[in-house]
Amino acid sequence: MPNTCSMGIHLLLEEIGKPYEVEKIDFASQKQYSETYKALNPKSKVPALELDNGEILTEWPAIAFYLARSNPETKLLPEDVLRQARVMELVDYITATVHMQGFTRIARPGNFSPDESTHEAVKARGLELFSNGFKIVAPQLKQPYALGDFSIADAALFYVEQWAVRRVSLTLPEACQRHYDAMIARPAVKRMLEREAAA
Ligand SMILES: N[C@@H](CCC(=O)N[C@@H](CS)C(=O)NCC(=O)O)C(=O)O
């Protein structure tokens, strides 16, 4: 689904540059809850990656880790184990906290409270958590990419920055804006965004 967290995985596939196929899971028609999709991914979430051997891999960090480790020539993960742990630390913070705790409250308040009268308050709390995430990440960012060299953490940071800029009109801290600008300039990011816009 364009403009969801799967754009980070879509971007990694573009960075790797090997042939892949995309199937749009249209949220407007609730395709994520269709029996066909649930047979592949009972969690009804994107992204899901079908491998050449037919296995289905889900969860953003697991998919990104798999893509990085199975394409070592692309250096999407550093070799040093501590640097690798630092990449996973940032990926986890973005996917589990900034996205799932912050942005999901804004996009899907019903997941946090069945009572519609509380939804504006849930969204406001989501915006606080989401924007606080950038404030926590910003001081640790290196240049030009989050941990110096480009890694899967940049694809994770990019998708939440894209939401901040395009979906909630949040002013990013300077270091995150600089990171976002560096990402937007990458040819693979441009290709991914063009493909998603056309989907
Ligand atoms: N923990 C999952 C979360 C994925 C997720 O929340 N995806 C959202 C899009 S950003 C989704 O598929 N939402 C569909 C729904 O909730 O109906 C991951 O890391 O991949």
Side-chain angles (χ1 to χ4, degrees):
M1 178 63 192
N3 299 317
T4 63
C5 60
S6 57
M7 76 180 125
I9 297 299
H10 193 179
L11 160 59
L12 293 175
L13 290 166
E14 277 297 325
E15 292 284 353
I16 290 165
K18 292 185 181 164
Y20 65 92
E21 286 169 23
V22 170
E23 188 170 337
K24 181 174 175 180
I25 306 302
D26 187 24
F27 286 3
S29 53
Q30 307 259 301
K31 221 174 148 196
Q32 72 270 40
Y33 302 112
S34 67
E35 291 309 317
T36 322
Y37 190 65
K38 281 199 292 188
L40 297 172
N41 180 9
K43 297 171 184 169
S44 289
K45 302 278 185 200
V46 298
L49 183 70
E50 183 172 7
L51 311 182
D52 289 344
N53 70 2
E55 280 188 48
I56 307 280
L57 201 51
T58 64
E59 301 300 326
W60 205 104
I63 298 172
F65 176 80
Y66 171 82
L67 288 173
R69 289 297 304 267
S70 50
N71 296 280
E73 70 287 356
T74 57
K75 299 193 186 317
L76 291 167
L77 264 180
E79 271 169 35
D80 176 80
V81 70
L82 179 57
R83 300 270 76 77
Q84 217 172 87
R86 289 289 179 207
V87 167
M88 297 317 290
E89 182 181 39
L90 185 53
V91 164
D92 194 74
Y93 183 64
I94 289 165
T95 55
T97 301
V98 184
H99 171 187
M100 297 309 297
Q101 293 296 328
F103 192 79
T104 310
R105 275 186 168 77
I106 305 170
R108 295 187 181 271
N111 287 2
F112 293 85
S113 163
D115 178 358
E116 270 196 40
S117 71
T118 65
H119 284 184
E120 286 312 310
V122 171
K123 286 188 200 176
R125 180 68 184 133
L127 189 56
E128 248 170 42
L129 293 167
F130 187 59
S131 107
N132 194 43
F134 293 106
K135 288 185 194 139
I136 286 173
V137 164
Q140 7 168 323
L141 290 185
K142 301 209 167 94
Q143 284 197 51
Y145 299 110
L147 290 130
D149 293 332
F150 188 81
S151 74
I152 57 173
D154 294 293
L157 184 55
F158 176 76
Y159 85 74
V160 287
E161 287 170 345
Q162 177 79 346
W163 287 344
V165 172
R166 295 294 164 95
R167 291 182 61 179
V168 295
S169 301
L170 192 75
T171 303
L172 289 171
E174 210 181 307
C176 295
Q177 184 65 47
R178 221 175 17 239
H179 176 263
Y180 180 71
D181 293 342
M183 290 296 291
I184 285 285
R186 285 182 79 85
V189 174
K190 289 189 183 143
R191 289 195 302 273
M192 178 278 288
L193 291 174
E194 277 165 20
R195 286 194 67 159
E196 296 222 343

